[in-house]
Amino acid sequence: MSKIVSELEASIRSIPDYPKPGIVFRDITTLLGNARAFRRAVDELVQPYAGLKIDKIAGMEARGFILGGAVAHQLSAGFVPIRKKGKLPHTTVRIAYSLEYGVDEMEMHVDAVQPGEKVILVDDLIATGGTAVGAVQLLRQIGADVVSACFVIDLPDLGGRKKLEALGVEVRTLVEFSGH
């Protein structure tokens, strides 16, 4: 494990039995509150794409907004919020996606991405992949070229990364935690 990965891992708070018994919640608010860790995480997310022409960064509500905004700034790209249904004021495109315990919907403005634009999807964590897969499908629905999906945390035992890779999306993560 590299020094950077161990520093990032140490800055993430683990909360046992949240939101239910047997689940360990990985809380990045402690990473965000640590200036050095936050900067390191953003730098690591940006590094593979420095110098490439990336048009937009799409961030999923809500922690993806924080990370995605910082990544967009560093790459001189636009930022696209992907939100839960009913939160955006203009004409939207919407998709239903699977949650661990049901189905929800997310949406983005119909004109947020132009066909062919290169987009990187950013969020704090990839678990079962339902939300991320839905976001990739939503972006592709309006013609985006989804270059990559980037996350601070991967929970590989839950299989989300494999679902994205099966869609032909490159996945980059910084820290892995086994188990829930």
mmCIF file of all heavy atoms in Angstrom, residues 29 34-35 82 180:
data_model
loop_
_atom_site.group_PDB
_atom_site.id
_atom_site.type_symbol
_atom_site.label_atom_id
_atom_site.label_comp_id
_atom_site.label_asym_id
_atom_site.label_seq_id
_atom_site.Cartn_x
_atom_site.Cartn_y
_atom_site.Cartn_z
ATOM 1 N N THR A 29 -16.591 12.594 5.103
ATOM 2 C CA THR A 29 -16.617 13.976 5.597
ATOM 3 C C THR A 29 -15.339 14.296 6.377
ATOM 4 O O THR A 29 -14.902 15.445 6.389
ATOM 5 C CB THR A 29 -17.860 14.280 6.457
ATOM 6 O OG1 THR A 29 -17.875 13.429 7.596
ATOM 7 C CG2 THR A 29 -19.134 14.118 5.642
ATOM 8 N N ASN A 34 -10.135 17.449 6.166
ATOM 9 C CA ASN A 34 -8.679 17.421 6.313
ATOM 10 C C ASN A 34 -8.096 17.991 5.029
ATOM 11 O O ASN A 34 -8.097 17.332 3.986
ATOM 12 C CB ASN A 34 -8.239 15.966 6.535
ATOM 13 C CG ASN A 34 -6.746 15.788 6.603
ATOM 14 O OD1 ASN A 34 -5.986 16.486 5.956
ATOM 15 N ND2 ASN A 34 -6.321 14.811 7.373
ATOM 16 N N ALA A 35 -7.606 19.228 5.070
ATOM 17 C CA ALA A 35 -7.162 19.926 3.862
ATOM 18 C C ALA A 35 -6.146 19.108 3.063
ATOM 19 O O ALA A 35 -6.240 19.014 1.831
ATOM 20 C CB ALA A 35 -6.572 21.290 4.227
ATOM 21 N N ILE A 82 -25.817 15.488 -11.238
ATOM 22 C CA ILE A 82 -26.823 14.449 -11.433
ATOM 23 C C ILE A 82 -27.556 14.337 -10.104
ATOM 24 O O ILE A 82 -26.958 14.025 -9.079
ATOM 25 C CB ILE A 82 -26.184 13.114 -11.855
ATOM 26 C CG1 ILE A 82 -25.488 13.294 -13.211
ATOM 27 C CG2 ILE A 82 -27.242 12.012 -11.915
ATOM 28 C CD1 ILE A 82 -24.785 12.059 -13.718
ATOM 29 N N HIS A 180 -18.632 -4.967 4.006
ATOM 30 C CA HIS A 180 -19.601 -3.875 3.870
ATOM 31 C C HIS A 180 -19.125 -2.739 4.724
ATOM 32 O O HIS A 180 -19.632 -1.952 5.239
ATOM 33 C CB HIS A 180 -20.996 -4.331 4.310
ATOM 34 C CG HIS A 180 -21.575 -5.380 3.412
ATOM 35 N ND1 HIS A 180 -20.828 -6.301 2.704
ATOM 36 C CD2 HIS A 180 -22.850 -5.661 3.106
ATOM 37 C CE1 HIS A 180 -21.616 -7.091 2.015
ATOM 38 N NE2 HIS A 180 -22.861 -6.730 2.250
#
